[in-house]
């Protein structure tokens, strides 16, 4: 029979024998027995006491070994039937056969026991190997199912993040439109207030509370009311953007954790018995670092997605409200603007009948004043138009100072922003110088006009205020697309 496995170190016990028959064994212990073979001596075989048989089991001494050697020599020369008078032995043939059969049976029993142990051990190793393989396959299957769950929730998070990013971009665009529309209302408000201010310069009987003044006062109220509603919605948009970004941050943190978990589980899923990097971690099975259960794990991600969807719904609703607000405010301001213009036109028509033709130089001077005022308004508008780009550039610089750690880099955008701020400031400085020159020119023209209009009548003054001052400024009233923030 073929031997399997490695040789085990075993301790063999000599079989139990009778007191009158020595053990006959083929085991290694019998070969190591230091006791010499017994030599029969005619003179020593006649009588043997129990003391002789008891002493045979003891370890021989040097003196006894010497005596036995002498007996062996004598036996070679003297132990023959012809040399002794009587034949005397210790055992019978039946004892000899019984001893052999006993040894055969003990050998067969020990071999059967060893063979049974070997078969049971091989069966145990095969069963445990199959159990280990099935357990490992089941664990790999569970990790694969877990990977599928992580991939599913990761795709859901990615889809929701894309939707939230789109919603944030849409709300940001609407917010910018609202800011531009709010900024555009400053011009009409200033024009209306300046119209009221200029009309206070009417003299004598023309200083009346007419329809033009009523419409101008109503126009100021309408514009301020629209501005107040725009500011409220702008504050809501800013708060909603903060909520949207907070929800997006939670989603991104969740998906980042899932990407890491997916990478770890994917590596664990592909680990095999022949893989590199495997090793012993004693006691790791007793460590439980988990912070959640499968139900709470999925509920956490589901809650994040539901929260994001809720914020997106609120953001979408707010965008609709802002769109409605922009359309409503633009219509209200335009309607009131048209009413005031009609009133201005009627009032100018009423006073135009009493106006006499002006002298040629006076007309030219007034025309030049008009052009200069238009230039001043254009310069003011150009200066106002530079405020937003300057604010944007400076805000970008200020925002970029909050970049964390090594991200606070003096990169090309930083240099370009610094250059942009300096360019805009230089442009503003040059426009202000030109505005000062234009205002100085206007003052010179006004002085010339005062000289030419020394005898200008009250009606001419009223027409000038209504038509040349007020209506000229009102020509810069923003268009409908600008009032809704598109340009």
């Amino acid at each position: 029979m073929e031997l399997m496995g490695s040789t085990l170190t075993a301790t063999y016990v000599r079989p139990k024998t009778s007191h009158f028959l020595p053990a006959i064994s083929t085991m290694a212990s019998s070969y190591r027995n230091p006791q010499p073979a017994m030599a029969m001596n005619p003179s020593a075989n006649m009588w043997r006491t129990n003391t002789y048989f008891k002493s045979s089991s003891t370890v021989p001494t040097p003196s006894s070994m010497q005596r036995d050697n002498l007996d062996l020599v004598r036996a070679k020369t003297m132990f023959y039937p012809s040399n002794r008078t009587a034949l005397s032995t210790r055992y019978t043939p039946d004892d000899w056969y019984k001893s052999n059969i006993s040894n055969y049976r003990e050998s067969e029993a020990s071999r059967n026991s060893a063979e049974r142990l070997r078969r049971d051990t091989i069966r145990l190793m095969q069963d445990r190997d199959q159990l280990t393989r099935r357990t490992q396959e089941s664990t790999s299957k569970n990790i694969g199912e877990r990977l599928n769950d992580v991939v599913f929730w990761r795709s859901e998070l990615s889809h929701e993040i894309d939707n939230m990013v789109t919603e944030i971009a849409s709300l940001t665009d609407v917010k910018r439109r609202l800011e531009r529309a709010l900024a555009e209302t400053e011009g009409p408000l200033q024009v209306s207030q300046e119209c009221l201010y200029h009309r206070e310069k009417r003299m004598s009987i023309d200083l009346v509370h007419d329809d033009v003044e009523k419409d101008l006062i109503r126009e100021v109220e309408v514009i301020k009311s629209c501005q107040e509603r725009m500011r409220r919605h702008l504050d809501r948009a800013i708060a909603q953007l903060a909520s949207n970004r907070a929800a997006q941050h939670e989603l991104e943190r969740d998906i980042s954790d899932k990407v890491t978990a997916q990478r770890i589980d994917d590596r664990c899923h592909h680990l095999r018995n022949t893989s590199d990097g495997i090793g012993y971690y004693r006691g790791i099975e007793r460590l439980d670092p988990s912070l959640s259960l499968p139900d709470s794990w999925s509920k956490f991600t589901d809650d994040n997605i539901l929260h994001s969807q809720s914020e997106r719904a609120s953001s979408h609703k707010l965008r609709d409200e802002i769109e409605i607000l922009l359309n409503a405010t633009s219509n209200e301001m335009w309607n009131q603007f048209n009413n005031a213009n009609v009133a201005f036109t009627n009032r100018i028509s009423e006073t135009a009948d009493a106006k006499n033709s002006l002298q040629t130089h006076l007309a030219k001077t007034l025309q030049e004043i008009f052009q200069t005022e238009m230039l001043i308004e254009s310069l003011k508008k150009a200066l106002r138009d530079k405020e937003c780009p300057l604010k944007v550039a400076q805000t970008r610089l200020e925002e970029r100072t909050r970049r964390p750690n090594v991200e606070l880099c003096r990169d090309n955008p930083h240099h370009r922003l610094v250059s942009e701020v300096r360019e805009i400031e230089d442009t503003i400085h040059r426009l202000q110088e030109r505005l000062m020159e234009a205002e100085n020119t206007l003052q010179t023209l006004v002085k010339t006009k005062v000289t030419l209009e020394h005898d200008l009548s009250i009606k001419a003054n009223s027409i000038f205020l209504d038509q040349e001052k007020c209506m000229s400024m009102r020509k810069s009233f923003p268009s409908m697309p600008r009032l809704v923030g598109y340009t």
Side-chain angles (χ1 to χ4, degrees), residues 160-343:
E160 183 60 29
I161 287 175
D162 293 339
N163 292 337
M164 179 56 75
V165 169
T166 304
E167 180 61 32
I168 289 175
S170 300
L171 183 58
T172 303
D173 183 65
V174 172
K175 172 179 166 289
R176 289 172 181 170
R177 286 176 50 202
L178 183 60
E179 290 174 345
R180 287 195 294 264
L182 181 59
E184 289 293 338
T185 59
E186 292 296 331
L189 179 61
Q190 185 177 359
V191 168
S192 299
Q193 291 174 344
E194 288 187 2
C195 287
L196 289 171
Y197 171 74
H198 286 305
R199 284 180 61 82
E200 290 296 325
K201 298 177 182 179
R202 291 174 295 168
M203 296 180 294
S204 186
I205 194 62
D206 281 357
L207 193 60
V208 295
H209 187 60
D210 54 4
D211 293 337
V212 177
E213 189 171 356
K214 293 178 182 177
D215 286 331
L216 286 175
I217 293 174
R218 192 177 299 113
E219 185 175 86
V220 172
E221 294 175 353
V222 168
I223 294 175
K224 288 185 176 180
S225 175
C226 293
Q227 286 180 340
E228 182 62 27
R229 284 182 288 170
M230 287 181 180
R231 290 192 183 95
R232 288 200 301 266
H233 281 76
L234 183 60
D235 293 338
R236 289 180 57 192
I238 294 173
Q240 186 62 51
L241 276 175
S243 299
N244 290 351
R245 291 193 179 97
Q248 179 187 358
H249 175 71
E250 292 297 328
L251 293 175
E252 289 175 347
R253 185 173 64 176
D254 195 356
I255 197 173
S256 176
D257 293 343
K258 282 183 171 47
V259 168
T260 304
Q262 181 182 356
R263 183 176 65 253
I264 294 173
D265 284 348
D266 184 69
R267 181 178 179 277
C268 293
H269 184 64
H270 288 88
L271 280 180
R272 297 295 181 268
N273 295 333
T274 57
S275 300
D276 296 333
I278 59 177
Y280 290 106
Y281 297 91
R282 301 297 183 183
I284 190 64
E285 69 278 359
R286 295 190 296 271
L287 179 63
D288 186 11
S290 59
L291 299 177
S292 63
L293 297 175
D295 292 339
S296 61
W297 173 78
S298 59
K299 185 177 183 299
F300 176 78
T301 303
D302 190 46
D303 290 343
N304 286 337
I305 293 175
L306 290 177
H307 177 66
S308 175
Q309 291 174 348
S310 176
E311 294 296 338
R312 282 197 299 111
S314 300
S315 179
H316 188 273
K317 181 180 178 181
L318 179 59
R319 284 195 294 112
D320 293 340
E321 293 178 0
I322 292 175
E323 291 286 352
I324 295 173
L325 174 67
L326 290 174
N327 293 326
T329 53
S330 61
N331 290 330
E332 291 177 9
M333 288 187 289
W334 259 103
N335 291 334
Q336 187 57 38
F337 171 74
N338 291 329
N339 293 335
N341 286 345
V342 171

Side-chain angles (χ1 to χ4, degrees), residues 331-363:
N331 290 330
E332 291 177 9
M333 288 187 289
W334 259 103
N335 291 334
Q336 187 57 38
F337 171 74
N338 291 329
N339 293 335
N341 286 345
V342 171
F344 264 111
T345 303
N346 295 332
R347 184 60 178 173
I348 291 172
S349 299
E350 291 175 358
T351 57
D353 296 337
K355 180 184 177 182
N356 298 319
S357 62
L358 300 174
Q359 300 176 358
T360 304
H361 293 285
L362 181 60

Side-chain angles (χ1 to χ4, degrees), residues 125-150:
M125 290 188 296
Q126 291 175 348
D127 292 342
R128 289 299 170 177
D129 184 62
Q130 293 177 0
L131 177 61
T132 302
R133 190 181 300 109
R134 287 195 302 267
T135 303
Q136 190 179 74
E137 291 174 355
S138 176
T139 303
S140 299
K141 180 180 178 182
N142 291 336
I143 295 177
E145 293 175 354
R146 178 65 175 181
L147 270 174
N148 293 333
D149 295 340
V150 173

